[in-house]
Structures are given as C-alpha cells and as structure tokens.
Amino acid sequence: MVKKISISKYISYLFLVSICVVWVVPVIFGITTSFRSQAEVVSAGFRLFPKEWDFNNYVAILENTSTAPILRWLSNSLIIAVSHTLLVVFIISLTGYGYTRLKFKGRDALFFTLLGISFFPGVVNLIPSYKIIEALGWVNTAWAMIIPGLAGMGNIFLVRQFMKGIPGELDESAKVDGASDFRIYYSIILPLVKPVLIVCGLFSFIGSWNDFLWPVIVYTDVEKMPITAGLLLLQDIYGNYRMIGQLMGSAILAIIPTLVLFIFAQKYFLQSINLNSGIKG
C-alpha cells in the first residue's frame, strides 16, 4: 500500500514538472530571443540561450518614438487599466451590496436574468458597442476602453457570493445605531469584502491590459493606442516579423506590469478561494 502511494506521488510530481516545462520553456525562449541579433534569430537550429547577448533590440525599441512609441503605449495602457480597475471595484462592490443587502421586488430575478445574458459571447456585442462608442464621440479616446465592461456580471457574482457569507446581524446592529445604507456599505461591508475586491480588481486590470480585439477596433491614432494594439502595428513596422528580436522585446516589456502586479498580489488569490470567508455568526 505504501509503495502504491509513493508511486502515485511520483507520477503526480512528474506530471506537474512536465506541465511546468511545457509552459516555462517557451517563455524563457521568448525572453532570450529578445536578446538575439537578427542573424542569430533566422539561423537554423534551436538554441534556448543566445550565443551572444545583444541589447540593441531594446535600445532600438526605446529610441523609436515616432512610428512605434512603446513607452507612450505602455503609459496609455497603464492609465486605461488603472482607471478601469478603480471604477470596476467601486461599481461591483456597490452592486453586490444592492443584490445582497437591499430588498426590492424582483431583485433575484433581475440578477439571474443579467447573469444569464452575460453568458452570450462578447463578440456578439462588438458592432452595437462600437455604434454606441461612435455616437458618444469616444472613438480614439481612453473612454472607449475604460467605460465598457465596468459592470461585469462575473465580478458581481463573486462579490455577491462573498457578501452572502457576512451575517446580517451586523447590518441590523448598525441600523439600530442610526447608520444609513451607504454608511453600512462603506464602514462595515466594504472592509470585509476587501480580499474578493482585490482579486476582481486584478482580473479587471489584467483583462483591460491584455484586451486586444476591442482597442484594435476603436483606435486608429498611433499616439493614443494601448500596448496591445501597438504590438499588432509592430508587425508591419518591423517588416512582417523580419525584426523578430525587437518584436519579442516589445512583447516582453508589455508583460512586465502584469507580472509585477501578480507577484505582489498573489496572496489575495488564496484569501478569496473560499467565497464565503466573511465573518461567520
């Protein structure tokens, strides 16, 4: 019996290591490719690490401020992602409070109706969404990226489930002391749902940062593009992948903010695994 358990663990470790290698090797190869000269990139054969580390790709990327302003694109993406995330956190927390704490006719029916509608593929809404953005005059502006998707039902569902784990006695005690609904939301509920709000904020930030199709549709001005739309433009600037090192270097710069964010906030993912981890009565 002991032998079977040890073999099972060995197989599990081997499987996990294999999955890790499959995921890590392409990432390492992508990073090292950004430090290769173009001659080495197009040479035959696979080599995980370059023969000579070449930093000219990054120098060329940072010096190009006209046709491919990488730093400007990164700045645009940062402004869009941070603004979108802050608004998402405020809206979903307030909406989740309404769906769990406020009592009104048709509350649950409205919630599950909206939740069901959210299962439709997002691509179905591309044309109507663009028409609305165009009518508002938001084409080629940051508002086209910040406003859509603020009230995502997936995030609202997570917040709602988390808030349901917080006992209602806290609300009743606060009301006895004369607290309003907004005071209860701000002073009592909001601090308790901090873990799930941080996780939803992380998902929103990463989703906004990595969004590709929508910014390609709503942006035509090179200076105003976020980094994802700019990376698509680099294919033509660098001659249809002929400057692979610079293209890969641009992609590496684009993933650094999300990587740093995940490293510093990963503990909140563990805190929010139990959606009912609010205070129990």
Side-chain angles (χ1 to χ4, degrees), residues 142-157:
W143 296 113
M145 291 287 296
I146 295 174
I147 301 301
L150 289 179
M153 287 304 298
N155 289 332
I156 294 174
F157 175 79

Side-chain angles (χ1 to χ4, degrees), residues 14 51 61 65 85 89 191 197 215 220 235-236 264:
L14 183 61
K51 296 179 180 179
I61 290 170
T65 58
T85 300
V89 169
L197 290 181
T220 56
Q235 297 178 18
D236 296 326
F264 285 99

